[in-house]
Amino acid sequence: MEKKKLRGYSLIIAALGALVVAGIIVSFTLGRFPISPGQLMSALGEKVFGMAKSDALTDQMRAILFNVRLPRIFLACMVGCCLSAAGASYQGVFQNPMAAPDILGASSGAAAGAALAILLELGSKMVMVFAFGASLITIALVMFVSNAARGNKVLRIILAGIMVSSLCNAATSFIKLVADPNNILPEITYWMMGSLAKTKTADVLFALVPMAIGIVPLMLLRWRINLLTLSDSEARTMGVNVTFVRVAVIICATLITAASVSVSGLIGWVGLVVPHLARRLVGNNYRHLLPASMLGGALFLLIVDNVSRNLLVTEIPIGILTSVIGAPFFIWLITRKKDAI
Amino acid sequence: MSVVVENLSFSYGKRRVLDGVSFEAREGEMLCVLGPNGVGKSTLFNCILGLAPAESGEIRVDGEAVGNIGVRELARRIAFVPQSHAPTFNYSVFDMVLMGTTAHVGGISAPGAEQMLLAENALERVGISHLRERGYMQISGGERQLTLIARALAQQSGVIIMDEPTANLDYGNQLRVLMRVKELVREGMTVIQSTHNPDHAFLFADRVLALIDGRVAADGPPAEAVTESLIESLYGVRVKLTRGDDGAIHCHPILN
């Protein structure tokens, strides 16, 4: 019976994986510039299998496929995957089903860093670096403050997160105040809405390393996250080094959040909604929950990004869309009769 | 596996909670700890479980000092059954029990087929195999307590420490849970549990340890250690102890 259930969960995860692959293929053909599935296949044949250049393709098509759509599709999947993994992990280690990737201020820190770099007109590469750096500094500050504070460990980390992100928001507001309202301010505002519109291959490569460094330990520690959702004394008496696992999970989840936010801007709701959807699909055991969240997040953000770039003539920032889709979806999720959160 | 506590003291700030506590729980014995709320029962357990460092004195499990045993090794020797609680997430009963096997798998690996079998067996031993697929939040308080006991069994330790395992349970569930625990003790498990009910001590304990103001007030077999005057000094109520037709001692409160 138990084996049957496990196989069922593995099937769901495999199905999600297949959907992500199918989603990626379909996404290549979507866009303002029409490229047919046949043309996509010949392009793949050229690029992957070294086949002769096909007459059906123009150089412009190749450029659009490999320099515009490819990085954007991959980044959508990576960011969706990481935000969902971070959300699910935070929910576990903070024993709080409402925890999201920005709970500790990683996003607020990144926003302040990005705003500063935009204000100083350092260029898009430095915006990314500043956002990533500021995000990590913010979390380091949160950990420092929470260590100095007294009382319940989980509570004081969350409180420190709220305070430090509030400081960051103040800094961002100040930067917006002094920014040139004609060109700098709109750019900051646009960055904060979250978008994958200007994705370049370099962005994908920038985010890839910290994401990989963060995801691997989370996958390895995922069984132990289950024990951290119980009380600390229970987890410890079952042989888990609670402090070590919790700090390791927080660092990894923060790393992938910072990497995501620095390349995509603020994309809300993904990290909250997708893990909850995954909980409905495969249960609360992180052994299945974490992979299901990651694949579900990749699929979700890929679909939303397709809507973002195809729905209207001008692109809709993806952060707006995830909120528009995420909030009602979450309400539906928590008001469904079948079992409680 | 035995637990030996020698001259244990512990303070929260300036308040001394445990003061020179010594006792021994022998292998295959059920030790009941009696004492009013706030007397330091939980602190005593935390010290034995390695959750709070002893201020002075020594605790030995299976002959080795608790302070010298690593987290994982200690978990293989002592399991903890908390009061039944509502966790943040609704795990299946099986997953809950499987978590108990964590101390037996290496640093980053998850329980495999062998551990799943251990969890199955533990569920069977406490008689709740039929609940395996149910959500922990959807079962009754008594069933939750049995799940936590099964989890402790899956941990394969020689000692189980239970913090008021029958608190919040109805009368029938209290007895059913304690009877299961008694069976485990007969099979060689060492159990240390706290209770507020003197009758439970008379019915199930091999030894009773009574704590007053952080000191040992009585230590011995229940029929010898637990007296009317002890209960009065523990709880501030007068009682009468009578021996029933079955030879068991019962505790009756005197109401006026």
Side-chain angles (χ1 to χ4, degrees), chain A residues 120-174:
Chain A
L120 301 174
E121 299 183 73
L122 297 175
S124 65
K125 180 120 201 179
M126 286 319 273
V127 171
M128 229 156 49
V129 175
F130 267 57
F132 185 65
S135 182
L136 294 187
I137 292 169
T138 306
I139 298 301
L141 196 62
V142 169
M143 299 305 261
F144 176 76
V145 171
S146 72
N147 266 333
R150 287 162 169 271
N152 178 299
K153 256 183 233 161
V154 169
L155 198 61
R156 68 191 193 206
I157 294 181
I158 292 179
L159 284 178
I162 291 172
M163 284 180 288
V164 174
S165 34
S166 165
L167 277 177
C168 291
N169 292 341
T172 308
S173 297
F174 182 75

Side-chain angles (χ1 to χ4, degrees), chain A residues 1-2 5-6 91 95 97 220 223-224 226-227 229-230 233-234 236-240 279 284-287, chain B residues 50-51 72 75 80 85 88-91 94-95 99 102-103 105-111 116 133 151 155:
Chain A
M1 200 166 168
E2 191 56 33
K5 209 178 70 178
L6 284 181
Q91 286 166 11
Q95 300 157 4
L220 294 176
W223 169 258
R224 279 161 183 75
N226 288 323
L227 284 91
T229 68
L230 310 173
S233 51
E234 278 179 273
R236 200 185 138 98
T237 54
M238 282 190 269
V240 174
R279 287 179 195 281
N284 288 310
N285 186 341
Y286 278 79
R287 170 181 270 180
Chain B
L51 298 171
R72 246 179 84 196
F80 175 51
H85 55 337
T88 316
F89 299 107
N90 187 13
Y91 284 94
F94 182 84
D95 282 342
M99 287 190 209
T102 305
V105 291
I108 51 167
S109 17
M116 291 195 182
E133 304 295 327
R151 189 176 78 183
Q155 202 166 326

